[in-house]
Amino acid sequence: MPAPDAYIPQRELLARPVRREAVGRALRAARVAAGLNKQQAAAASGLSRHSLMRLEAGSGSMNLDRLWSLARAYSTTPSAILAAAEADGAAETLKP
């Protein structure tokens, strides 16, 4: 079970939306590169279209199982998606 927000450092809480948006942009880019629309991606990954839209918008949290499912649907790897998110200009501001 995740730690309550009261136990998470303020810097980490502020970084969450930036990270989620960077991952969302990386997911969208991977989907587009795979030539899939949102409905096709949802069907191929087992996620609902609504969940996929939330993840791409950066408003949803993702577990590793979802990341693996999406990567497989996009014919890529979870590490490639995360690398794209790390290379995102906004996410660069979060590096130590």
Side-chain angles (χ1 to χ4, degrees):
M1 174 170 249
D5 286 352
Y7 294 105
I8 299 173
Q10 185 67 22
R11 175 175 160 75
E12 290 301 311
L13 289 174
L14 294 173
R16 281 182 178 178
V18 177
R19 289 178 185 149
R20 289 177 181 173
E21 289 169 7
V23 170
R25 286 188 289 273
L27 287 171
R28 183 180 185 286
R31 176 179 58 76
V32 170
L36 300 174
N37 64 35
K38 289 178 184 149
Q39 189 65 40
Q40 293 166 326
S45 66
L47 273 69
S48 70
R49 186 171 174 270
H50 178 74
S51 292
L52 181 62
M53 289 171 59
R54 288 185 64 229
L55 291 173
E56 287 189 3
S59 62
S61 180
M62 180 171 31
N63 65 35
L64 289 175
D65 293 327
R66 282 186 178 175
L67 179 59
W68 278 98
S69 295
L70 288 165
R72 181 171 298 176
Y74 300 160
S75 299
T76 190
T77 62
S79 59
I81 292 170
L82 291 175
E86 278 188 280
D88 184 282
E92 278 285 318
T93 64
L94 301 174
K95 290 191 176 179

